[in-house]
Amino acid sequence: MSDHRLFRFQKPQWLSSPNTRTAGVYLAGALFSLGFFFFVDASTLSHSHLYGGDVHIKFVDWIPGICSALGMLVINSIEKTRLSADSYSYSGTGVAWKARLVLFLGFALMAGGLAGSVAVLVLKYVVPQLDFPALYFGIANVVTNGLIMISSVVLWVSQNMEDDYTYNLAL
């Protein structure tokens, strides 16, 4: 057993395969689209003639999803190698610090989106004690932001897997 490992068990070989990486990207896309499907479904039901209630989805309901989607965009624009690479090859010094700051801001955007969706659910739908057709709008908002957050983590991990089949060309 080598001394430089943290855990006792070895990493499975299938984690380093290109098929696992591709499956992770597809899984992240499926989670993202499923999340937005719930919110678009709730939004269309809110403005449908089948729903006769007074509470509808407004722009306030869209803000948490926008924050989560922007957080996902920010997080997945960071390469994992930038988090530990303090060299002059990436436009000066302090690259790791800058990358960690941007990564933190991306996670803060996603956490703010999830917290905002829970706040909208509680303040707009739970406190007035609305019944299920209207309560579904808030639940769909929370599910959307949760799935976007999970999708972002899955995509970042699968995009930044260390592969044995790829190589980096250094000049």
Side-chain angles (χ1 to χ4, degrees):
M1 182 178 297
S2 67
D3 294 330
H4 65 277
R5 288 201 342 240
L6 179 64
F7 296 108
R8 183 177 182 174
F9 302 109
Q10 293 181 358
K11 182 177 81 168
Q13 285 296 101
W14 60 269
L15 282 177
S16 297
S17 75
N19 293 333
T20 306
R21 185 178 192 170
T22 304
V25 171
Y26 284 131
L27 177 66
L31 290 171
F32 185 80
S33 62
L34 185 66
F36 267 110
F37 169 77
F38 278 115
F39 191 69
V40 169
D41 180 53
S43 181
T44 54
L45 179 64
S46 166
H47 295 289
S48 173
H49 64 79
L50 299 175
Y51 172 69
D54 296 332
V55 179
H56 298 286
I57 290 183
K58 304 286 184 195
F59 184 70
V60 172
D61 297 302
W62 284 88
I63 292 173
I66 292 170
C67 287
S68 291
L70 285 175
M72 182 178 185
L73 182 68
V74 168
I75 286 171
N76 289 303
S77 66
I78 304 278
E79 291 183 24
K80 193 175 184 179
T81 57
R82 304 266 199 252
L83 296 174
S84 61
D86 267 339
S87 67
Y88 291 101
S89 63
Y90 298 125
S91 71
T93 60
V95 174
W97 180 81
K98 294 172 191 174
R100 289 176 191 148
L101 178 69
V102 171
L103 189 67
F104 172 76
L105 291 175
F107 275 112
L109 270 171
M110 282 199 322
L114 186 63
S117 66
V118 170
V120 168
L121 170 68
V122 169
L123 293 175
K124 190 174 178 181
Y125 301 106
V126 174
V127 170
Q129 297 177 350
L130 297 175
D131 291 333
F132 178 69
L135 187 62
Y136 170 68
F137 306 150
I139 292 171
N141 198 352
V142 173
V143 168
T144 296
N145 287 291
L147 286 176
I148 290 173
M149 186 176 275
I150 293 169
S151 167
S152 178
V153 170
V154 168
L155 182 62
W156 193 71
V157 167
S158 65
Q159 284 287 355
N160 293 307
M161 282 178 150
E162 295 179 10
D163 302 332
D164 293 334
Y165 70 97
T166 61
Y167 62 91
N168 293 327
L169 181 62
L171 297 176

